[in-house]
Amino acid sequence: MNRLTSMTVSVLSALLRAKEISSVELTNAFLHRIASHDTEIGAYLTVCAEDALRTAKQIDDRRMGGEVLPALAGIPMALKDNLCTKGIRTTCASKILSSYIPPYNATVYERLRQNGAVLLGKLNMDEFAMGSSTENSAYHLTRNPHDTEYVPGGSSGGSAAAVAANEAAYTLGTDTGGSVRLPASFCGAVGIKPTYGRVSRYGLIAYACSFDQIGVLTKDVRDNALVLQAIAGKDEKDATASLAPVADYGAELGAECCRLRIGVPKEIDLQCHSEEVGQAFQRALFQLEQLGAQLVELPNGIDQNALQAYYILVLAEASCNLARYDGVRYGDRAAHAEDLQSMYAQTRAEGFGDEVKRRILLGTYLLETSQKQRYYDKALCVRQQIKQLFADSFSVCDLIVTPTSPCTAYRFGEKNTDPLQMYHVDRFTVPASLANVPALSVPCGVSAKGLPIGLQLIAPAFREGLLYRIAYAYEQECCHGDI
Amino acid sequence: MDEHTPDFDKLAKLANIDPANTDGRLSQYFDAMLRFFDGMDAVGRNAPEDFDVALPMREDTVRAETTREELLCGAKTVADGCITVPLVMEDL
């Protein structure tokens, strides 16, 4: 049973097609794994055992009836709890949505269902995706499967931990400023944030609309390409979903990497908080050269003022997006309010956690007329400059490489007394988010304590295939996929 | 009161959140974050005036058909695909 849960999607798909295993057998294996391990890991907020087994049985019946099914058919997976699932509680890890049951499915889930995916359940996260460690969930902590004293990263901590702990074959997360890539790095998974618009956001509960993007977390690069292929593409329900055709990502795996020019921001390894991360990064650069890539130094870096601009814009957008949770339209209402105004204030004060309240209040402040020019307008300018910096960089290189995070996973409580210190963990991931370009984290080493280290690859818009090409070659050559 | 010192009572009203019901370290948080944001000045001053912040929005924008069920539940506004444009609070 445990052997099955540790296999990749590609291997499981082959076994299912050959009818060597059934989807019911596979789903049961994952449900047993969740039952035996998730009390310790805490990746799940909701487990849908009955629904999962019912879907698995339907897939098995179709296969036994001779139907040729897609590669993902019958494979158990799980979704971050900010993706709407019809009839299944969707909380965003917040008390204010503790009883919210969506009447419709997110487009990504609908597409996976059409591909025969089996939904095991909904995964823990930082409340409304606000955090980098999953310590901000209103329900419980999620622990890093590599060492349960350490955080799994965030905000898609449940999504990364479920993959690393073999509690799902693959998962979806969401990435606003690094929320797929960072937990992928901390848990030794492969995580991609696609280009803004590559994947429909319909049914994703909004945090910061101009940044939010749904991403994929898997055990290896091949699986990641397979799942992104299934969910990418235009969607009439999302006006920001691109009409650009989706490339054949599978065709990029194994393609030649010789002569690819890889940009390295100047002195980026010196910005790492951990010497081990800097060393792993230098080793990865050497390995990329061995693969035939040509390294190009980017003297201007990619992150000038990025972290400040990112937090200003994200907080401003969040303060607007979360205004809708008022106890009237959504969520649990405060029981003993005296009037409408106090009902709003009490509902929101009781329903939101501290980090969410802090961000809403600061976001509101940044949008006040007296402050807007000083902060918000300037941050928009910086965002435009960063987009230009990426455009300039991509005129001299094909890809950009950085560490995913300046540090490895840290202990619970180590950074949450100082939010600003926590925000600095995002410093390498936010530039790609500001520029709306795709980025992928692939494992590139392990610290002395056994904690995974991630390498981030960044490509021009809609060049996810290029990310997969180099990440696959790197993974095959350097064997970090089995961390 | 300095023009850049947050008026927490006013913010509380605008955001519909009682600041007393936060973790009690709000002023330190604001102080640290605003000092951090002010560090952005150097590049911000040199920013182009005619910057373009347009998102990759489809030209043939099609809004989703909203079902009666979704309207009743208000689900469309929880998680639809639209962009929320931040408003300047005093414009309200």
Side-chain angles (χ1 to χ4, degrees):
Chain A
M1 285 291 208
N2 282 349
R3 205 171 56 84
L4 284 180
T5 59
S6 64
M7 291 176 177
T8 63
V9 173
S10 315
V11 171
L12 292 172
S13 181
L15 291 173
L16 285 165
R17 278 185 174 171
K19 299 192 179 72
E20 288 183 32
I21 57 169
S22 71
S23 179
V24 167
E25 186 185 348
L26 184 58
T27 303
N28 269 320
F30 276 106
L31 290 172
H32 285 138
R33 178 81 184 171
I34 293 166
S36 62
H37 281 71
D38 205 50
T39 44
E40 186 185 17
I41 301 298
Y44 281 82
L45 287 171
T46 305
V47 177
C48 315
E50 283 182 25
D51 284 350
L53 287 168
R54 192 181 310 119
T55 308
K57 175 76 170 55
Q58 288 166 358
I59 295 292
D60 285 342
D61 289 347
R62 286 169 62 188
R63 205 185 299 272
M64 292 311 285
E67 199 174 331
V68 178
L69 299 172
L72 296 178
I75 305 217
M77 58 86 189
L79 301 174
K80 187 173 178 179
D81 207 25
N82 58 353
L83 294 167
C84 286
T85 42
K86 186 175 181 178
I88 300 169
R89 193 173 78 126
T90 299
T91 67
C92 261
S94 179
K95 278 202 290 186
I96 208 160
L97 287 178
S98 62
S99 55
Y100 177 60
I101 297 178
Y104 69 111
N105 285 326
T107 293
V108 285
Y109 178 44
E110 203 52 60
R111 289 190 177 164
L112 290 175
R113 274 163 51 88
Q114 286 161 9
N115 276 272
V118 174
L119 178 66
L120 291 166
K122 306 297 290 291
L123 298 160
N124 201 16
M125 55 186 281
D126 284 300
E127 183 179 6
F128 284 101
M130 296 184 188
S132 306
S133 63
T134 317
E135 288 169 289
N136 294 332
S137 168
Y139 297 97
H140 55 72
L141 295 176
T142 295
R143 297 179 179 278
N144 192 317
H146 293 272
D147 187 330
T148 53
E149 297 296 310
Y150 288 78
V151 302
S155 64
S156 308
S159 303
V163 169
N166 299 326
E167 294 182 16
Y170 66 93
T171 61
L172 296 191
T174 62
D175 191 312
T176 302
S179 287
V180 163
R181 291 162 282 163
L182 188 72
S185 165
F186 281 10
C187 291
V190 175
I192 190 167
K193 178 202 88 75
T195 308
Y196 187 87
R198 182 67 299 173
V199 175
S200 167
R201 295 181 303 113
Y202 179 76
L204 161 61
I205 296 180
Y207 163 24
C209 297
S210 73
F211 294 85
D212 295 339
Q213 188 59 204
I214 297 165
V216 182
L217 294 107
T218 53
K219 290 188 198 306
D220 69 10
V221 175
R222 180 181 292 278
D223 285 2
N224 208 287
L226 193 62
V227 179
L228 184 63
Q229 194 83 56
I231 62 171
K234 63 183 180 182
D235 178 18
E236 65 174 19
K237 293 177 177 172
D238 178 1
T240 61
S242 171
L243 294 174
V246 180
D248 179 358
Y249 302 133
E252 295 278 357
L253 307 178
E256 191 57 65
C257 291
C258 265
R259 291 185 292 279
L260 274 181
R261 296 163 304 162
I262 297 187
V264 185
K266 189 180 177 187
E267 296 179 349
I268 194 155
D269 52 332
L270 301 180
Q271 297 175 40
C272 292
H273 305 165
S274 150
E275 205 174 304
E276 285 178 306
V277 173
Q279 287 166 353
F281 179 65
Q282 288 299 336
R283 200 164 50 243
L285 293 181
F286 175 74
Q287 289 162 334
L288 288 168
E289 276 189 308
Q290 298 297 106
L291 289 170
Q294 179 193 338
L295 301 184
V296 178
E297 186 182 75
L298 302 175
N300 296 325
I302 52 165
D303 62 339
Q304 290 174 24
N305 295 297
L307 203 57
Q308 291 102 321
Y310 169 79
Y311 273 98
I312 289 169
L313 297 174
V314 158
L315 267 50
E317 293 187 27
S319 70
C320 300
N321 276 322
L322 272 65
R324 68 195 63 166
Y325 305 106
D326 56 9
V328 177
R329 289 172 292 177
Y330 306 104
D332 300 332
R333 184 179 298 180
H336 304 294
E338 289 174 0
D339 53 37
L340 184 66
Q341 200 58 44
S342 65
M343 189 280 288
Y344 288 154
Q346 229 171 294
T347 294
R348 288 162 65 78
E350 290 171 9
F352 290 137
D354 287 337
E355 180 66 18
V356 174
K357 283 186 276 198
R358 277 198 292 263
R359 292 194 188 199
I360 290 174
L361 286 165
L362 184 51
T364 304
Y365 178 73
L366 296 171
L367 290 176
E368 281 186 10
T369 304
S370 57
Q371 305 303 327
K372 179 174 170 286
Q373 200 177 3
R374 180 179 173 128
Y375 297 112
Y376 184 72
D377 291 351
K378 197 171 289 170
L380 287 175
C381 292
V382 170
R383 184 177 199 175
Q384 186 59 23
Q385 287 178 322
I386 286 175
K387 285 184 175 184
Q388 190 56 49
L389 205 51
F390 271 96
D392 294 345
S393 299
F394 287 131
S395 68
V396 296
C397 66
D398 302 298
L399 286 163
I400 297 170
V401 64
T402 73
T404 306
S405 163
C407 59
T408 54
Y410 43 88
R411 287 181 184 277
F412 287 98
E414 193 177 313
K415 293 191 193 290
N416 59 5
T417 51
D418 179 0
L420 193 51
Q421 198 190 352
M422 174 96 73
Y423 300 166
H424 274 283
V425 175
D426 302 336
R427 64 183 307 160
F428 296 150
T429 51
V430 299
S433 300
L434 283 157
N436 293 136
V437 294
L440 176 146
S441 178
V442 62
C444 72
V446 186
S447 72
K449 289 178 181 167
L451 296 166
I453 299 168
L455 179 72
Q456 178 178 233
L457 300 164
I458 307 171
F462 300 107
R463 299 296 307 278
E464 284 81 359
L466 195 54
L467 293 179
Y468 286 135
R469 187 199 304 184
I470 193 82
Y472 181 76
Y474 178 77
E475 183 186 70
Q476 296 300 304
E477 189 67 21
C478 307
C479 298
H480 294 298
D482 56 352
I483 283 172
Chain B
M1 184 176 291
D2 180 273
E3 71 167 308
H4 299 304
T5 304
D7 177 344
F8 288 116
D9 288 334
K10 180 180 157 199
L11 274 181
K13 283 182 188 148
L14 287 170
N16 275 323
I17 288 175
D18 180 359
N21 211 324
T22 62
D23 66 354
R25 291 180 291 126
L26 201 58
S27 58
Q28 292 105 301
Y29 175 74
F30 265 67
D31 187 46
M33 290 302 291
L34 294 178
R35 271 191 287 122
F36 175 56
F37 292 157
D38 282 334
M40 190 174 62
D41 245 13
V43 170
R45 269 202 301 270
N46 299 325
E49 286 180 10
D50 56 343
F51 61 88
D52 169 22
V53 293
L55 289 163
M57 184 85 74
R58 267 184 12 208
E59 285 181 10
D60 64 333
T61 297
V62 179
R63 293 302 306 134
E65 287 298 316
T66 306
T67 65
R68 182 172 177 276
E69 190 184 23
E70 287 172 347
L71 275 177
L72 286 174
C73 298
K76 285 296 298 169
T77 52
V78 164
D80 62 8
C82 71
I83 291 282
T84 301
V85 179
L87 299 171
V88 179
M89 298 310 294
E90 287 175 9
D91 292 347
L92 293 175

